[in-house]
Amino acid sequence: MDRWEREGLRSANNGMRNQLEHLLDSFERQQGRLADVFRELDNARTQASSPDQSVEVTVDAAGVLTDLRLTAAAMRQTPEQLSSAIVDATRAAAHRAQQQAETLAAPLDADFDDLPDLPDISPGAPSLNEIRAFFRGDNKDSPR
C-alpha cells in the first residue's frame, strides 16, 4: 500500500469518525427530549362524545379506551344505537389521540431527519429511515 492509499484510508476513517461523533452527539441531545415526549404520551388522554352527548369516552395516546361514561339518555337507546354511539365516539377519540401523538412527536421526527442514516456511515447497515417510514405508514407495502 503506498502513501496515497494510506492517506485516502486515513481521510475516510476521519470522515466516518466525524459522522459517528455527530450522530452520537445528536442522540445524546435528543435523549432528554425523547424521554419528555414519552412521558407526555404516557399521560395523554383524549375525550370524545357521541353527537347526542349520551356517550363520552376517554382514550390514551395509543387510542385504547380508558374510560366510558353513559348518560341516562344512553340507557333509553336500543342496544344497536348504544353500541354504534360507543364505537363512533371511541373512533373519534382515537383519531384525535393519533393526531395529538403525531404533534408531540413531530419535533423529534424533524430532528432525526437531519441525521445521517446508518448506510451512509456503514454500507450494508440497516436503514433507520426505512424503519421510521414503515412505522409512520409511509411504506406502501406496510400492512397498516
Side-chain angles (χ1 to χ4, degrees):
M1 180 180 297
D2 68 13
R3 182 176 144 235
W4 296 111
E5 289 175 319
R6 281 193 303 271
E7 286 297 319
L9 288 174
R10 189 173 294 129
S11 176
N13 274 346
N14 287 337
M16 187 180 294
R17 183 177 295 124
N18 288 339
Q19 284 183 319
L20 283 173
E21 287 175 3
H22 172 69
L23 187 64
L24 290 173
D25 289 344
S26 295
F27 279 135
E28 286 175 9
R29 282 193 307 271
Q30 295 305 318
Q31 189 175 13
R33 291 178 59 187
L34 190 59
D36 291 342
V37 168
F38 277 117
R39 194 171 18 266
E40 287 180 52
L41 288 171
D42 193 41
N43 293 323
R45 297 291 180 267
T46 304
Q47 293 182 331
S49 297
S50 60
D52 65 359
Q53 305 298 311
S54 64
V55 174
E56 181 182 283
V57 299
T58 303
V59 299
D60 64 13
V64 174
L65 184 65
T66 60
D67 192 29
L68 171 64
R69 295 185 190 273
L70 304 174
T71 66
M75 297 296 103
R76 291 188 291 272
Q77 296 178 2
T78 66
E80 293 80 17
Q81 290 171 322
L82 180 57
S83 172
S84 180
I86 292 169
V87 169
D88 290 345
T90 303
R91 193 174 286 140
H95 180 72
R96 288 182 195 160
Q98 179 183 7
Q99 290 175 323
Q100 181 183 23
E102 289 172 1
T103 299
L104 288 170
L108 291 175
D109 203 35
D111 288 342
F112 284 121
D113 284 339
D114 294 336
L115 297 176
D117 200 7
L118 291 180
D120 298 337
I121 297 169
S122 177
S127 171
L128 295 177
N129 289 336
E130 288 177 11
I131 293 168
R132 287 175 48 228
F134 175 82
F135 284 108
R136 283 191 305 227
D138 295 347
N139 183 344
K140 290 181 180 21
D141 298 328
S142 170
R144 289 181 175 220

